[in-house]
Amino acid sequence: MMQATGIVRRIDNLGRLVIPKEIRKYLSLREGSPVEFFMEQEKVSIAKYNPLSQRQQTIKATCKVLEDKLNRPVWYFFDDVMMNTGRDEINRKFSPEFYRLIYSYRLVPFKDQQVYANDALTYSGFIVPVVMEGHHYGAYVVLGDDTQISEKDLEFVSFCADLIASRIHI
């Protein structure tokens, strides 16, 4: 349900509209962040664009392929949502440390890392980011008892990350 903010803005002579700082902060919008416009009768809504919303089935399928090939659990994280082959863990808050690891722009091995806030359970594995044109669109997280993986398997995970990145259209 939409909620009135009490904020009114005017459109300038070039047709631009400034999104208030409070709303940008709430939606984690930064300069260059894509937004999507929706129209319903006389109303216009602006939403943070999620380029992966149409790719969830593909992401889950690649998690399944990776799990089968690597014989390890594989997760995909994007915007506080974890996807895997079985279920979506939408309402769990990630630990700040793990969140920082997910949003790095490089391969990150991790060992005995707390994933969820308020949950002492730890995991080991590595993170492969999905990056397109300098923008971070989530990451594959491959779990295991250690952070060791063959170069060939790592290339396969990186290929899947590149495949998802190539399917993103903004």
Side-chain angles (χ1 to χ4, degrees):
M1 181 163 103
M2 282 213 277
Q3 176 180 340
T5 63
I7 302 170
V8 176
R9 298 287 178 164
R10 295 194 185 277
I11 297 174
D12 72 9
N13 63 342
L14 296 176
R16 296 177 295 199
L17 180 69
V18 175
I19 300 172
K21 182 178 182 179
E22 298 85 358
I23 294 173
R24 292 193 316 265
K25 185 176 179 181
Y26 179 78
L27 294 175
S28 300
L29 294 173
R30 295 180 280 297
E31 182 180 337
S33 294
V35 294
E36 193 170 14
F37 293 86
F38 300 92
M39 291 178 43
E40 183 181 341
Q41 297 171 352
E42 296 290 315
K43 294 182 181 181
V44 175
S45 299
I46 300 173
K48 184 176 182 178
Y49 178 64
N50 181 351
L52 298 177
S53 62
Q54 304 298 317
R55 303 282 176 242
Q56 288 186 12
Q57 289 305 106
T58 303
I59 291 168
K60 286 183 179 187
T62 57
C63 285
K64 174 76 171 123
V65 168
L66 288 167
E67 283 184 352
D68 291 347
K69 169 121 176 64
L70 305 174
N71 200 27
R72 296 175 176 224
V74 177
W75 299 341
Y76 189 90
F77 286 88
F78 181 71
D79 270 0
D80 295 331
V81 176
M82 185 270 283
M83 287 182 266
N84 63 18
T85 57
R87 65 195 185 290
D88 293 341
E89 300 273 347
I90 295 173
N91 296 320
R92 300 206 49 196
K93 186 169 174 63
F94 303 117
S95 73
E97 299 83 20
F98 194 69
Y99 195 79
R100 277 192 294 278
L101 292 177
I102 291 169
Y103 282 92
S104 64
Y105 282 72
R106 59 182 172 74
L107 171 73
V108 178
F110 61 95
K111 187 159 184 68
D112 300 326
Q113 178 67 51
Q114 180 185 2
V115 172
Y116 297 109
N118 304 322
D119 185 350
L121 192 60
T122 62
Y123 297 86
S124 297
F126 62 94
I127 298 168
V128 178
V130 174
V131 178
M132 187 187 101
E133 297 178 0
H135 295 283
H136 192 280
Y137 290 102
Y140 284 102
V141 177
V142 180
L143 302 176
D145 295 334
D146 57 33
T147 58
Q148 300 301 316
I149 187 167
S150 74
E151 189 66 32
K152 185 177 177 183
D153 287 345
L154 181 57
E155 285 176 9
F156 187 62
V157 179
S158 295
F159 170 79
C160 290
D162 291 344
L163 179 66
I164 293 297
S166 72
R167 303 280 185 207
I168 297 170
H169 302 287
I170 19 184

